[in-house]
Amino acid sequence: MAKLWRRLLVLLIGGVIAVPYAAVVIWIVTASNRVGNRADSLTIIVVGIIAFALLCIPAFLAVIRALERTLAEQLLELSIPTPPRRPRTADRLRGALFYFGHTFAGALLLLTIVVLVPAAIVLAADPQQAHELSDGLIGTETSLAATVLPAGLIQALAVGILLMCIAIIVVEGYFLPNYALILLGPSAADRSELAGRERARRFRRTVLAREVHDSIGHALTVTTMQAAVAKRALQTYPTIAEAAVDEIARTGREAVAELDHILALLRTEADLEADDDAVISAETAQPPRRTIEDFEVLAQEARSVGHPTQLRIRGDMGSLPSVVAHELHRIVREALTNSLRHASVPGASVSISVDARCVTLTVSNACVVNTSGARSNAGTGRGLQGIRERVELFGGKVRWTADGGSWTLEAVLPTDSGTVRVANEERQT
């Protein structure tokens, strides 16, 4: 019932909007009938048409379309997406079509309430009142309808016209939300663009979530293990304990730097949602350049907590594009973090091979294999899923296996310019 009243209220507002248009039409008819001069009558008609046309201009304005959209959202409980660009001619025409449809429907409702319902009641009570009613509406001295048509037929016509108008109003109210979504909402091209922007937003959020998981998770794992080393060596090997504390401080500083970078991306994400024309600055979007020393630091971090790690690099790391080297560093870091957490025997082996077309990474460590021949938690962690997402983003391949008590991760990242360009564009979308 509440929904019905809200729709009737929307139609009633349309009737109020129709009042000036109806007033102009009534003025044209009455004024042209009162003057006897044909030239004066024509002048009145022309002036009335100009006035009516001027009243139609607001229907094509963007602000009227926005007001109609707000009215539909508030009273019809609709969620109409805002178009991602300034309205074009087609959008203005669609908005004007809804405006005039809304106005016509409201005028019909107002006519039914003010004229047809009272007329039907009068005719139903006394059919002989048709003569006076015709004189009042049409302005004639005699009413042929009142003298020619039987009183019963006049009653039936009045009721029929009233029911027809009511049926039209009901149909208009029923389809009003659909018309609002079609005519006031974005076009098909706009909906496609909005869907693309939403996919880009979800992609950015996925990237940020992966960055947080990888950087903070790795830092907490290393810090926890270094703290355990420092506690064990505090009394007997103070030098080792001091080195562990220094490593905790270094890891913490690096985690803070990573967090600052992620927070900058989050701020940029908020700016993009607030302003669709905002762009990511080069300082925020471009990842830091990774070198061999950065991979050595990862291996040294693992060694410092009692996890012997062999690092072998073949090929020219400097030839890798910056975005590929950055993602490779993330993958190695996550792989070593998993090794620290899950290896059954301390130790890991990291092998990186760079050639002209791709870079191949292999990380292996000891693990406990269940009766089915696979590690019990194989492929269930967010870290492994993040590695898969990173590799697939570049069109690469990744797989992990557990065979003969050894857990092995193999990833291949293409380094050709086309793939790197596509991945880089997606990162900055």
Side-chain angles (χ1 to χ4, degrees), residues 369-393:
V369 180
N370 58 26
T371 55
S372 63
R375 201 176 69 175
S376 57
N377 62 345
T380 61
R382 292 189 181 91
L384 291 176
Q385 183 61 32
I387 290 176
R388 182 188 295 278
E389 290 173 355
R390 290 182 184 278
V391 174
E392 290 180 350
L393 177 63

Side-chain angles (χ1 to χ4, degrees), residues 28 31-46:
I28 293 174
S32 61
N33 286 336
R34 287 178 181 177
V35 297
N37 190 343
R38 183 178 179 85
D40 293 340
S41 177
L42 184 61
T43 301
I44 291 174
I45 294 175
V46 171

Side-chain angles (χ1 to χ4, degrees), residues 304-327:
S304 65
V305 294
H307 195 73
T309 300
Q310 296 179 355
L311 176 63
R312 293 185 296 273
I313 298 178
R314 294 188 297 272
D316 182 13
M317 288 289 294
S319 64
L320 290 178
S322 177
V323 65
V324 175
H326 177 77
E327 293 302 318

